[in-house]
Amino acid sequence: MNALTLPEPIAAYFAAEHNPEALARCFTAQAVMKDDGHTYTGVDDIKAFMAEASAKYSATTVPFALEREDGFQIVKAKVTGNFPGSPIDLSYRFRLERGLIASLEIKA
């Protein structure tokens, strides 16, 4: 199987999965993240959510596909963790800006 080559900020996001400080460095200051019906705005809000989710679910994410659509990078990934329905394939819709993540929407 060929390795998936992701744009740098997206690769850094997945590499920093359980490190909220490193995750926060992947986003613009005003970034918006949507996940599970909630919206998180700004690096501090996103970092707090990611720290809580990491501790609660101990999820592991493995990206397996990348598509580009209307200026967005859409990554499909298998997520396994301590949550109902695990494992599940999720879609991560990234919009990049100046080498950082400006928006991210995660959907089943």
Side-chain angles (χ1 to χ4, degrees):
M1 180 190 299
N2 291 339
L4 185 62
T5 302
L6 298 171
E8 179 54 36
I10 296 173
Y13 170 86
F14 287 111
E17 186 165 49
H18 295 287
N19 182 339
E21 292 296 328
L23 277 168
R25 290 191 293 272
C26 299
F27 290 90
T28 65
Q30 298 80 27
V32 175
M33 179 178 177
K34 295 180 181 181
D35 185 23
D36 199 26
H38 300 280
T39 300
Y40 307 93
T41 304
V43 172
D44 290 340
D45 204 18
I46 292 169
K47 183 169 72 172
F49 163 71
M50 297 300 279
E52 180 182 326
S54 178
K56 185 174 181 180
Y57 300 117
S58 300
T60 302
T61 307
V62 179
F64 62 83
L66 172 65
E67 302 169 6
R68 290 171 179 82
E69 176 184 292
D70 298 328
F72 290 89
Q73 310 277 331
I74 302 165
V75 177
K76 306 284 187 187
K78 180 170 292 304
V79 182
T80 306
N82 182 23
F83 56 88
S86 176
I88 188 170
D89 288 347
L90 295 178
S91 174
Y92 293 73
R93 185 178 171 98
F94 293 92
R95 184 173 59 79
L96 303 179
E97 191 175 280
R98 296 181 313 280
L100 294 170
I101 299 165
S103 70
L104 169 57
E105 185 172 1
I106 304 170
K107 291 184 173 183

